[in-house]
Amino acid sequence: DGGITQSPKYLFRKEGQNVTLSCEQNLNHDAMYWYRQDPGQGLRLIYYSQIVNDFQKGDIAEGYSVSREKKESFPLTVTSAQKNPTAFYLCASIWAGGTGELFFGEGSRLTVL
Amino acid sequence: GENVEQHPSTLSVQEGDSAVIKCTYSDSASNYFPWYKQELGKRPQLIIDIRSNVGEKKDQRIAVTLNKTAKHFSLHITETQPEDSAVYFCAASIRGGTASKLTFGTGTRLQVTL
C-alpha cells in the first residue's frame, strides 16, 4: 500500500530537548516537504528537498534541521532553538513529473511541556 | 515570496446552499492553484486545481475560478452536504521548475448545518 508514513503520531518533549520526526514514502516521489500547521495560520513551509542530499529552507526554517540521505526518507529535527515548537507537523511529497498534487502524511503532533 | 490570503476564516451554510471561499495571491508568476480539504483529524487532500491557462474548472459540485488580472481565485461548492464540513486551504505555486513550492492560505473552516 503506497503512501507517506509519519512517526510518531504524538510526541511530548521537555524544553531544551531536540526531537526528530520521521517521514518515509514509498511512492518513488522526488520532492519532499515539511509543513507546520497552527490554528488560524494554515500550512507554513519549513524545509523542502528536491533530490537526495539537497534541501532548501522554507519560510520558517529557524530552529529546524533536515537531512535527505535517501529518496524515501526526509526526517525533521526540531531543535531547542525553536522558540515555539508545539504544533502539528505534516510531511508531504510530490512526483516532479506529475500533476502537481502534494501527498501528505497523517501528521505528527508535538507538544513541548 | 508568494503571499496567499484566504477569506473567510469560518463559513457556516445550511445543507443544500452554496459556499464560496476566496483567495488572493501576490506573485504574478504563480501559475498553479490547488485546493485542499482537511477533515477533522485527517491529512489534507487535493480536491481540485486550476492552472493559469484556464479561467474555470468544474468537478461535479465543486468549481474553481481564476482571475489572473486581479490575482484572485475562488472555490465554489454547490448543494452542500454535511460531509463537506472541513477546513479548506487554497494554495499557489509556480509550476515548471524542479519542484513546486506551494504557499498556502490560512484556511477556511466550513460548517454545513442540517
Side-chain angles (χ1 to χ4, degrees):
Chain A
D1 204 19
I4 301 177
T5 302
Q6 288 186 241
S7 62
K9 194 169 184 178
Y10 299 96
L11 186 61
F12 297 88
R13 178 194 106 177
K14 292 182 180 179
E15 280 193 24
Q17 289 181 336
N18 292 353
V19 62
T20 297
L21 308 180
S22 170
C23 178
E24 304 276 333
Q25 55 99 358
N26 59 5
L27 300 168
N28 198 33
H29 284 177
D30 307 288
M32 298 185 73
Y33 303 77
W34 275 104
Y35 284 90
R36 170 177 170 144
Q37 185 173 19
D38 296 285
Q41 295 195 53
L43 303 172
R44 292 183 292 167
L45 182 64
I46 305 172
Y47 268 98
Y48 64 107
S49 168
Q50 302 173 35
I51 56 173
V52 174
N53 293 323
D54 186 53
F55 47 83
Q56 289 79 40
K57 292 182 179 180
D59 302 314
I60 56 165
E62 185 176 351
Y64 299 98
S65 66
V66 293
S67 64
R68 187 85 185 276
E69 298 177 1
K70 298 185 300 181
K71 187 177 184 178
E72 304 79 23
S73 178
F74 191 41
L76 173 74
T77 297
V78 185
T79 75
S80 56
Q82 168 52 231
K83 301 300 181 187
N84 185 22
T86 295
F88 188 58
Y89 292 88
L90 283 162
C91 179
S93 70
I94 191 171
W95 178 45
T99 59
E101 179 176 1
L102 265 182
F103 290 84
F104 285 91
E106 292 194 338
S108 293
R109 185 167 297 281
L110 171 64
T111 303
V112 175
L113 305 173
Chain B
E2 175 66 277
N3 181 50
V4 177
E5 295 189 358
Q6 182 171 350
H7 300 280
S9 57
T10 60
L11 179 60
S12 182
V13 299
Q14 284 197 323
E15 184 180 6
D17 287 350
S18 296
V20 181
I21 302 170
K22 299 181 179 182
C23 289
T24 60
Y25 61 99
S26 61
D27 190 345
S28 56
S30 289
N31 58 9
Y32 175 64
F33 308 92
W35 286 87
Y36 284 79
K37 175 183 180 182
Q38 186 178 28
E39 297 177 12
L40 190 62
K42 295 189 177 180
R43 71 189 83 190
Q45 291 191 302
L46 179 71
I47 55 171
I48 194 167
D49 57 14
I50 191 168
R51 301 180 192 279
S52 60
N53 57 347
V54 297
E56 184 176 4
K57 184 177 178 180
K58 287 184 180 180
D59 183 3
Q60 300 182 344
R61 296 186 297 107
I62 293 173
V64 57
T65 59
L66 171 65
N67 183 328
K68 286 194 302 180
T69 303
K71 289 191 281 189
H72 66 72
F73 55 113
S74 301
L75 178 71
H76 304 254
I77 306 174
T78 58
E79 301 172 23
T80 53
Q81 301 168 3
E83 52 264 39
D84 295 328
S85 295
V87 178
Y88 292 81
F89 293 98
C90 62
S93 75
I94 301 171
R95 286 283 290 162
T98 52
S100 294
K101 183 184 167 186
L102 275 174
T103 299
F104 285 86
T106 50
T108 296
R109 182 172 299 279
L110 173 65
Q111 181 70 44
V112 179
T113 58
L114 298 174

